[in-house]
Amino acid sequence: MKEQITVDEQFDSLLLDKQLCFPLYAAARRVVSLYTPFFKELGITYTQYLVFLVLWEEGCVSVGRLCERLYLDSGTLTPLIKKMEKGGYVRRQRSAEDERIVMIELTDEGRAMRQKVRDIPGKVGACVPLSETDALQLYCLLYKLLNGME
């Protein structure tokens, strides 16, 4: 016999439908999964794509700067960067000004990846059921949330 679960108001905040974190998490997973077939074909991951985006935008950056931009820690990024270096996409080198700082820069192959992925955001965007206005509003709200948590 199935146990009858009673609704207890003191635990109302623990209902799945009351969690802001859950739709954020589930939506993020679904959106990232839309990228997967495109990136799999290229042999990269979504997180590597994010590193590429920062490097295409900023050029040579420190690991610390990548951590800031991607809201990730160096323990997560360091193995990923090493894998990208092994794949020939980036080069790591110590800063001339401060040897403690590791700088990351794109190789020619890393710069060439930009051309290979340029149509992917549009293809993924076409699969997201939001108007341009709704997407912009969501984007602004998410950055408001991220920036407010620092």
Side-chain angles (χ1 to χ4, degrees):
M1 181 174 199
K2 190 173 179 179
E3 179 185 343
Q4 181 67 31
I5 305 212
T6 58
V7 176
D8 188 338
E9 286 184 29
Q10 72 179 5
F11 297 109
D12 192 49
S13 66
L14 297 177
L15 295 171
L16 184 63
D17 289 341
K18 300 280 183 161
Q19 307 299 310
L20 174 61
C21 60
F22 178 69
L24 286 170
Y25 164 78
R29 284 182 43 88
R30 286 221 174 148
V31 170
V32 170
S33 75
L34 295 172
Y35 285 92
T36 302
F38 299 110
F39 294 154
K40 192 172 189 176
E41 189 175 298
L42 295 169
I44 64 172
T45 65
Y46 179 76
T47 312
Q48 288 173 328
Y49 171 68
L50 297 178
V51 170
F52 277 123
L53 292 176
V54 173
L55 291 171
W56 293 326
E57 183 179 330
E58 295 193 24
C60 187
V61 297
S62 68
V63 171
R65 177 66 178 153
L66 273 174
C67 291
E68 288 172 18
R69 288 292 310 273
L70 299 178
Y71 298 89
L72 295 170
D73 60 50
S74 62
T76 300
L77 279 178
T78 299
L80 183 113
I81 292 165
K82 285 181 179 179
K83 188 173 181 179
M84 291 177 77
E85 184 176 42
K86 189 175 179 181
Y89 299 118
V90 300
R91 207 173 2 262
R92 290 181 301 149
Q93 60 189 34
R94 297 269 174 201
S95 167
E97 293 83 38
D98 186 342
E99 283 191 9
R100 297 171 296 177
I101 298 173
V102 176
M103 302 298 294
I104 311 300
E105 66 180 334
L106 290 165
T107 62
D108 289 341
E109 193 170 338
R111 283 187 287 280
M113 183 63 75
R114 190 176 193 187
Q115 182 67 29
K116 295 175 184 177
V117 301
R118 77 182 172 125
D119 295 330
I120 295 174
K123 291 175 181 177
V124 169
C127 298
V128 176
L130 293 175
S131 69
E132 205 171 307
T133 302
D134 287 345
L136 180 59
Q137 184 178 15
L138 178 59
Y139 174 89
C140 291
L141 286 170
L142 290 171
Y143 268 103
K144 183 176 182 178
L145 177 65
L146 275 172
N147 293 330
M149 296 173 80
E150 290 182 42

